[in-house]
Amino acid sequence: MTFLVPLLVLVPLLGAAVALGLLRHQRIQRAITVAVLVIALAVAATLMVLVDHHGTIVVQVGGWDAPYGISLVVDRLSALLLTVSASVLLIVLLFSIGQGLAADDGEAPVTIFYPTYLVLAAGVLDSFIAGDLFNLYVAFEMLLVASYVLITLGGSEQRVRAGTTYIVTSLIASAIFLSAIGLVYGATGTVNIAQISERMAALPDHVQLLIHTMLLIGFGIKAAVFPLAFWLPDSYPTAPAPVTAVFAGLLTKVGIYAIIRLETIMFPRPQLNTVLLVVAALTMIVGVLGAVSQTDVKRLLSFTLISHIGFMVMGVGLGSVVGTAAAVFYTVHHIVVQTTLFLVSGLMERVGGTTSTRSLGGLLKAAPFLAALYLIPAFNLGGIPPFSGFIGKLGLFRAAAIDGSPLAYMTIAAGIVTSLLTLYALMRVWDAAFWRPKPAAEAAAPHVAVAEPHESLRAPEPAPVTRSEADGSVLSGGSVTVTDPVTGSMHHVSGRTRLPRMLVGVTTVAVLGSVALTVVAGPLYGYATRAAESLESPQQYVEAVLGARP
């Protein structure tokens, strides 16, 4: 079944090429993109079962044996993240299609979205199967190019400015990573991760430390750890809701995945574990303090994203099987839950016309089902029992307690404080947006709404809600002045804006998926533990890629 592995990259890239040639046929583009991601999900799920029963799958591209050729490697960690990532990519795509259908945009000038989205998918999936550093670098560059296009869709000044910050920071990270690759090759004569694992221990300690630090900085920028996360809160919130959701769920986790590989395969000695634990605690606290101070839902969620990256770094920094297992489990949990919360924020923006908690209000009456969709993942991210967030944090705290060092207990304290403040910040949004009546000044005056890509109309306030007998959509009454995303002309729209069933249905599936993590927590945690045991025995990885050696 080794032929399945290259399909994870080839199928999205071929799909992107076909979709690019069909810019005037958006329905066909949509169908191709959905089909490609369904295939990717099926392949990833199949590989997840295969590697759990039969061990690591390695493909030597072009028949060139490692370390001379390109190695594609799928082990338990890769397969798990491939499956979760493909699921999230598909869910977010369906949400974006729902937005487009809701807006009745026909042949909108944003048809570049679909091929770009598939290039992004290829970059994410390639990152998880790369068996050498240069292939990993290529995957990162695919992500960078695609994400810059997606983050600046619509070409507004705010998005271009945010995209510029994002791309400059990403280019710096790429330059650091590429320089580190050069140092690795100069010191070891290879960029194959398995062979680097064999040869790194023979290098002088100061050379190892230099390479280790440079790689960690490059991956740390991608993962948005403190103090390298300054770019994220100003970049993600400006993008359309589906783009923000997929960025929040996956792009930072690619960095976390690279850090896990770095600390378990390439540098299995606890060389920088103390630094990682300190960085983890600071990332938690600084991120959550930023979240507490926000009045915009998307910016608040961006800061919670940063803070909870700290939990994953904490598990890696403990340098044990139980710590790595908890980090892997928490990574899966966070991909699903954080993506779900950003999708819910997109619905909140559609109904309320804004994501500012100063202007939102009355959403509980306007859209009671939306209130439930927000509350469930909010409790999950905050770590309320029995959700997967609680299970993951409990696993991390247990691993730190087993470690028993003062620094490990400090990370436990930081984790508890972060969980409480996360819950406080998310419940404050609940109170302002759902429970509190809409501010009188906001209810009296119409807003100017700038349409996002894939949505040409948006209601600014949750006026009295009715339900369409024709399609079951939630309808918000009122009127609004909107700006056409193409021409820039302003026109008045009266009547109602719908919250379509497809958007609500896809978001509901995402919420149910986050709940399902709790239902399957036992088997999932067991899988994560087996993945961690393999990672903590790097010789297994080396033998799978290079073959058994005397």
Side-chain angles (χ1 to χ4, degrees):
M1 302 293 282
T2 56
F3 71 92
L4 291 174
V5 178
L7 294 180
L8 292 166
V9 180
L10 289 177
V11 172
L13 288 180
L14 290 174
V18 175
L20 189 61
L22 297 169
L23 291 180
R24 296 187 178 183
H25 304 279
Q26 194 174 121
R27 290 185 180 180
I28 301 178
Q29 276 191 328
R30 290 168 178 161
I32 290 171
T33 309
V34 171
V36 165
L37 293 181
V38 169
I39 292 171
L41 176 57
V43 170
T46 302
L47 289 173
M48 184 175 171
V49 175
L50 288 175
V51 299
D52 194 37
H53 287 86
H54 304 292
T56 302
I57 297 175
V58 180
V59 176
Q60 307 294 358
V61 177
W64 291 89
D65 291 336
Y68 306 107
I70 297 174
S71 300
L72 303 180
V73 185
V74 179
D75 58 4
R76 289 189 180 93
L77 175 63
S78 299
L80 177 59
L81 293 182
L82 285 169
T83 304
V84 176
S85 299
S87 303
V88 166
L89 285 164
L90 181 58
I91 286 291
V92 173
L93 174 69
L94 294 176
F95 186 93
S96 71
I97 292 173
Q99 278 199 337
L101 295 175
D104 194 24
D105 59 353
E107 302 299 323
V110 290
T111 48
I112 194 67
F113 173 85
Y114 297 105
T116 307
Y117 192 82
L118 286 178
V119 173
L120 181 82
V124 170
L125 300 178
D126 190 25
S127 299
F128 295 140
I129 64 175
D132 65 82
L133 290 180
F134 191 76
N135 191 18
L136 183 59
Y137 171 78
V138 171
F140 281 2
E141 293 310 292
M142 279 198 288
L143 285 175
L144 174 60
V145 172
S147 56
Y148 179 70
V149 174
L150 293 174
I151 209 170
T152 56
L153 274 178
S156 67
E157 180 181 351
Q158 185 182 21
R159 286 186 185 165
V160 171
R161 186 184 300 113
T164 301
T165 301
Y166 173 78
I167 198 168
V168 168
T169 306
S170 297
L171 285 174
I172 292 172
S174 296
I176 294 172
F177 184 24
L178 190 59
S179 300
I181 291 174
L183 289 176
V184 169
Y185 186 77
T188 65
T190 183
V191 293
N192 184 281
I193 292 174
Q195 198 166 39
I196 291 170
S197 179
E198 280 192 323
R199 297 182 177 180
M200 189 60 68
L203 297 178
D205 287 345
H206 67 279
V207 176
Q208 290 190 51
L209 182 61
L210 175 62
I211 295 172
H212 195 173
T213 302
M214 289 187 67
L215 287 171
L216 196 58
I217 291 173
F219 297 152
I221 294 175
K222 300 287 186 184
V225 301
F226 178 83
L228 307 173
F230 59 89
W231 55 272
L232 192 149
D234 291 326
S235 300
Y236 284 11
T238 62
V243 175
T244 305
V246 77
F247 281 18
L250 297 181
L251 296 198
T252 52
K253 307 314 179 300
V254 171
I256 288 295
Y257 169 82
I259 290 174
I260 292 174
R261 286 284 183 216
L262 180 69
E263 299 301 321
T264 56
I265 303 298
M266 293 177 59
F267 293 93
R269 293 192 305 154
Q271 191 176 34
L272 292 178
N273 283 17
T274 299
V275 174
L276 285 172
L277 289 177
V278 172
V279 166
L282 291 174
T283 302
M284 292 181 206
I285 297 299
V286 173
V288 80
L289 290 178
V292 168
S293 66
Q294 299 305 309
T295 58
D296 181 87
V297 178
K298 285 186 177 180
R299 282 186 62 85
L300 185 150
L301 291 177
S302 296
F303 276 102
T304 63
L305 167 60
I306 294 171
S307 68
H308 286 252
I309 291 295
F311 284 100
M312 301 165 222
V313 176
M314 170 187 172
V316 177
L318 290 170
S320 61
V321 170
V322 287
T324 304
V328 171
F329 180 89
Y330 200 83
T331 300
V332 173
H333 148 80
H334 197 258
I335 288 173
V336 176
V337 174
Q338 194 78 47
T339 301
T340 302
L341 278 170
F342 272 103
L343 292 181
V344 173
S345 73
L347 295 185
M348 292 169 62
E349 185 176 18
R350 191 176 186 90
V351 175
T354 180
T355 53
S356 171
T357 55
R358 294 174 177 173
S359 301
L360 286 171
L363 294 185
L364 183 60
K365 279 188 176 181
F369 189 63
L370 178 58
L373 292 180
Y374 173 85
L375 202 57
I376 293 171
F379 281 161
N380 201 339
L381 189 66
I384 296 294
F387 291 114
S388 57
F390 171 78
I391 296 170
K393 289 171 185 174
L394 188 62
L396 288 167
F397 296 162
R398 173 175 171 268
I402 291 173
D403 182 278
S405 66
L407 190 55
Y409 280 109
M410 183 192 75
T411 58
I412 293 177
I416 293 172
V417 171
T418 299
S419 298
L420 293 174
L421 290 180
T422 298
L423 192 61
Y424 164 75
L426 293 174
M427 290 305 98
R428 196 180 63 178
V429 171
W430 163 267
D431 177 67
F434 291 94
W435 190 256
R436 184 190 68 183
K438 191 171 183 68
E442 297 291 335
H447 293 269
V448 176
V450 179
E452 304 280 9
H454 296 295
E455 50 181 325
S456 56
L457 301 177
R458 182 192 299 146
E461 71 269 345
V465 173
T466 60
R467 185 167 294 277
S468 167
E469 295 182 0
D471 63 1
S473 305
V474 176
L475 303 179
S476 298
S479 62
V480 63
T481 301
V482 301
T483 302
D484 188 281
V486 183
T487 64
S489 60
M490 300 177 66
H491 54 279
H492 187 73
V493 178
S494 60
R496 301 167 178 177
T497 298
R498 301 183 179 190
L499 191 59
R501 286 184 299 179
M502 184 170 181
L503 287 180
V504 176
V506 170
T507 308
T508 302
V509 170
V511 172
L512 292 176
S514 68
V515 174
L517 292 179
T518 303
V519 178
V520 300
L524 180 59
Y525 213 108
Y527 194 100
T529 300
R530 293 193 295 276
E533 288 170 349
S534 300
L535 290 168
E536 295 297 332
S537 300
Q539 190 59 33
Q540 295 181 21
Y541 182 93
V542 172
E543 290 180 359
V545 177
L546 301 179
R549 301 194 176 186

